[in-house]
């Protein structure tokens, strides 16, 4: 597993983190995310887009625990992928999520199937959600860029997002 | 991913500890293969670090046992994180060990509490359990040591148990 890119969010935060010009020389990609955003009263998914596309061709199936309950949900024809959760501003201070997305065969001309496992933690029963997810980007293009983003909440300072490449033997 | 250290047990042990963890990586991963001597079919594997003290730990989990699913949480637990992983005990089918992978991001980042992500489980051909769990230490201090012990009271991790700790680096290139 080889590190490709890493970004750390600076003071003031940001809405968007983008990795451009992803090398096309690996077999699979892995995205590792330690993220906190500033929403209150809710828990948000980790939203990702590929190649800057906001077309409604993302979908997901997830299973997660929340508030001592177990849930599974599905969403179709989405404009972004969100298969795990991140830490909101309402969660314990200085606490960031721990997420990993695996993107196999990212250069292939097939649709892209993504799997993810991620956790958000909190000193309490809310705002903490271990989640497993499967996502689809119904696009046959090779992935050349990846964006983590929110539209209305801010990704907080000290968030780190890393992209790794994995090569088959 | 770089191997830092490992322990393979020739006899049972109450605790497994990794100390003096190098402060040169960005993330850590522990990979564990273990079974306990406790006379139950399965139970918790507990974890602690140099930064755990008092009631500064939390955990949340998702589990399935072949017939039901459950979500649970624990917070304010002193001294160690329980609910981190589920491993087989002495009453489980012979020769069955549990597998555990724990990912700790930004373990030396002094701006963050430390959040752990764990997948664990075992199958015993008619029994078993799979867990996906999180844990947190509410301390921004760097992690310099990590240890584990089995729950259930008085149990040991048996011979054949293996613990390995790996370090993961990140890129200096942003790709922005």
């Amino acid at each position: 597993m080889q590190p490709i890119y890493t970004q750390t969010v600076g003071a003031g935060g940001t809405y968007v983190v983008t990795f451009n010009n992803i090398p096309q020389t690996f077999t699979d990609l892995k995205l590792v995310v330690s993220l906190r955003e500033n929403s209150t009263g809710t828990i948000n998914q980790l939203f990702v887009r590929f190649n800057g596309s906001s077309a409604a061709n993302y979908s997901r199936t997830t299973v997660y625990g929340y508030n001592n309950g177990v849930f599974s949900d599905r969403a179709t024809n989405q404009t972004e992928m969100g298969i795990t959760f991140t830490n909101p501003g309402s969660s314990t201070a200085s606490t960031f999520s721990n997420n990993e997305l695996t993107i196999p065969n990212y250069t292939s001309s097939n649709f892209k199937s993504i799997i993810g496992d991620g956790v958000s933690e909190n000193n309490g029963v809310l705002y903490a959600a271990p989640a497993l997810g499967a996502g689809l980007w119904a696009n046959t293009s090779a992935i050349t860029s990846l964006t983590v983003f929110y539209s209305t909440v801010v990704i907080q300072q000290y968030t780190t997002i890393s992209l790794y490449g994995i090569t088959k033997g | 991913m770089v191997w830092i250290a490992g322990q393979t047990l020739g006899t049972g042990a109450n605790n497994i500890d990794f100390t003096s963890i190098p402060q040169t990586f960005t993330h850590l991963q522990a990979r564990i293969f273990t079974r306990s001597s406790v006379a139950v079919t399965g139970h918790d594997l507990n974890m602690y670090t140099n930064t755990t003290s008092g009631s500064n730990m939390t955990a949340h989990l998702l589990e399935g046992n072949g017939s039901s699913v459950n979500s649970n949480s624990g917070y304010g637990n002193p001294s160690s994180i329980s609910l981190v992983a589920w491993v087989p005990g002495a009453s489980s089918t012979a020769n069955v060990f549990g597998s555990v992978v724990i990912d700790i991001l930004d373990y030396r980042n002094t701006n963050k509490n430390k959040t752990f992500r764990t997948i664990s489980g075992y199958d015993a051909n008619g029994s078993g359990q799979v867990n996906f769990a999180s844990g947190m230490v509410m301390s921004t201090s760097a992690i310099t040591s990590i240890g584990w012990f089995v729950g259930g009271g008085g149990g040991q991790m048996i011979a054949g148990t293996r613990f390995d700790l790996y370090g993961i680096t990140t890129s200096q290139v942003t790709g922005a």
Side-chain angles (χ1 to χ4, degrees):
Chain A
M1 187 168 79
Q2 180 175 331
I4 303 175
Y5 297 132
T6 296
Q7 291 190 33
T8 300
V9 175
T14 185
Y15 289 103
V16 179
V17 173
T18 298
F19 295 119
N20 292 306
N21 302 311
I22 295 173
Q24 301 294 291
T25 52
F26 299 101
T27 308
D28 307 325
L29 295 176
K30 179 170 286 188
L31 187 71
V32 177
V33 178
S34 171
L35 189 148
R36 183 180 180 90
E37 38 87 352
N38 70 344
S39 67
T40 57
T42 187
I43 188 167
N44 289 310
Q45 292 140 324
L46 172 65
F47 290 123
V48 175
R49 284 179 175 155
F50 303 110
N51 296 359
S53 173
S54 59
N57 56 9
Y58 300 86
S59 56
R60 70 166 190 272
T61 301
T62 65
V63 60
Y64 61 96
Y66 190 71
N67 195 11
N68 290 335
V70 181
F71 305 90
S72 183
D73 78 348
R74 170 166 290 147
T76 59
N77 304 315
Q78 303 291 291
T79 57
E80 62 281 321
M81 179 172 294
I83 56 177
T84 60
F85 296 95
T86 57
N87 267 80
S90 297
S91 62
T92 303
S94 304
T95 303
F96 291 69
S97 66
N98 183 330
N99 311 79
E100 186 171 293
L101 302 185
T102 297
I103 310 162
N105 296 329
Y106 71 103
T107 66
S108 80
S109 57
N110 298 313
F111 288 173
K112 307 306 178 289
S113 290
I114 293 90
I115 54 172
D117 55 289
V119 302
S120 55
E121 258 296 334
N122 184 49
N123 186 23
V125 70
L126 299 179
Y127 313 125
L132 302 170
L136 178 71
W137 184 43
N139 190 304
T140 58
S141 300
I143 293 175
T144 58
S145 72
L146 184 153
T147 301
V148 174
F149 78 101
Y150 292 92
S151 299
T152 59
V153 299
V154 177
I155 302 172
Q156 298 293 282
Q157 183 183 20
Y158 308 124
T159 287
T160 57
I161 303 175
S162 295
L163 187 67
Y164 295 85
I166 299 167
T167 304
K168 65 179 182 180
Chain B
M1 193 159 76
V2 177
W3 183 80
I4 297 172
Q7 297 186 39
T8 301
L9 297 183
T11 58
N14 294 323
N15 296 72
I16 295 284
D17 290 284
F18 290 105
T19 60
S20 302
I21 295 172
Q23 300 294 290
T24 52
F25 299 101
T26 305
H27 310 311
L28 296 174
Q29 185 178 89
R31 303 173 76 89
I32 301 165
F33 181 76
T34 189
R35 178 185 175 99
S36 88
S37 63
V38 180
V40 294
T41 54
H43 60 88
D44 299 330
L45 178 69
N46 292 13
M47 186 170 76
Y48 53 90
T49 73
N50 59 297
T51 59
T52 60
S53 65
S55 299
N56 74 340
M57 307 189 74
T58 68
H60 297 78
L61 70 83
L62 184 61
E63 62 185 12
N65 64 8
S67 59
S68 63
V69 295
N70 180 49
S71 177
N72 203 351
S73 58
Y75 32 92
N77 291 324
S79 303
S80 69
I81 301 177
S82 60
L83 310 181
V84 164
W86 195 259
V87 298
S91 300
S92 185
T93 303
N95 295 317
V96 171
F97 282 61
S99 297
V100 185
V101 177
I102 303 173
D103 284 284
I104 309 164
L105 302 188
D106 292 323
Y107 71 102
R108 57 185 179 88
N109 189 315
T110 57
N111 295 299
K112 299 180 173 180
N113 293 331
K114 307 305 179 285
T115 300
F116 307 84
R117 170 170 45 93
T118 301
I119 185 165
S120 66
Y122 69 95
D123 184 272
N125 193 29
S127 62
Q129 185 162 311
V130 58
N131 277 31
F132 182 61
S134 60
M136 175 178 56
V137 182
M138 290 179 282
S139 168
T140 58
S141 298
I143 291 176
T144 59
S145 66
I146 303 175
W148 293 267
F149 65 97
V150 295
Q156 289 192 327
M157 291 167 277
I158 69 170
T161 287
R162 197 187 84 211
F163 279 69
D164 289 283
L165 187 66
Y166 295 84
I168 299 166
T169 58
T170 50
S171 174
Q172 299 302 307
V173 182
T174 67

